[in-house]
Amino acid sequence: MTPVAHIRRRVLKMTQVQLAAALKVSQPTVCRWERQGLFPAEYQRRVRALARAAGLPWSDSWFLDAPHAAASPQRLAGAAAEPREAEP
């Protein structure tokens, strides 16, 4: 998953259409950014502001490299809550 797709899906929890509307661009533009893997600098500021305004956790490193799904904060928190089987 590209950094743009990670930010849209996992952090902002938006569809391409929703993100496009929030950033005042077209849905095909968001699709192109996802294929290319990065937001233009002007839109990085807007995306950061969207996340902060919504009170979401944020890391600027996500613009460069999306975390692996297995190591995402949500998965780590869920794994800690799951009971483990006793070892033989």
Side-chain angles (χ1 to χ4, degrees):
M1 178 180 311
T2 67
V4 175
H6 167 77
I7 291 167
R8 179 183 62 79
R9 294 178 190 169
R10 303 276 199 275
V11 179
L12 299 174
K13 297 183 183 353
M14 292 181 161
T15 64
Q16 287 183 347
V17 172
Q18 290 169 326
L19 182 58
L23 297 177
K24 297 181 179 15
V25 297
S26 67
Q27 179 273 329
T29 297
V30 173
C31 183
R32 184 177 66 249
W33 292 342
E34 287 190 8
R35 282 193 319 270
Q36 292 172 349
L38 48 97
F39 287 105
E42 173 187 349
Y43 291 97
Q44 288 180 9
R45 289 186 290 276
R46 292 181 187 185
V47 167
R48 183 184 306 114
L50 277 174
R52 289 185 176 157
L56 299 171
W58 185 257
S59 172
D60 279 347
S61 68
W62 294 337
F63 285 128
L64 304 173
D65 187 31
H68 297 289
S72 71
Q74 294 84 1
R75 288 191 184 226
L76 291 175
E82 294 175 8
R84 293 187 177 186
E85 293 182 25
E87 293 184 23

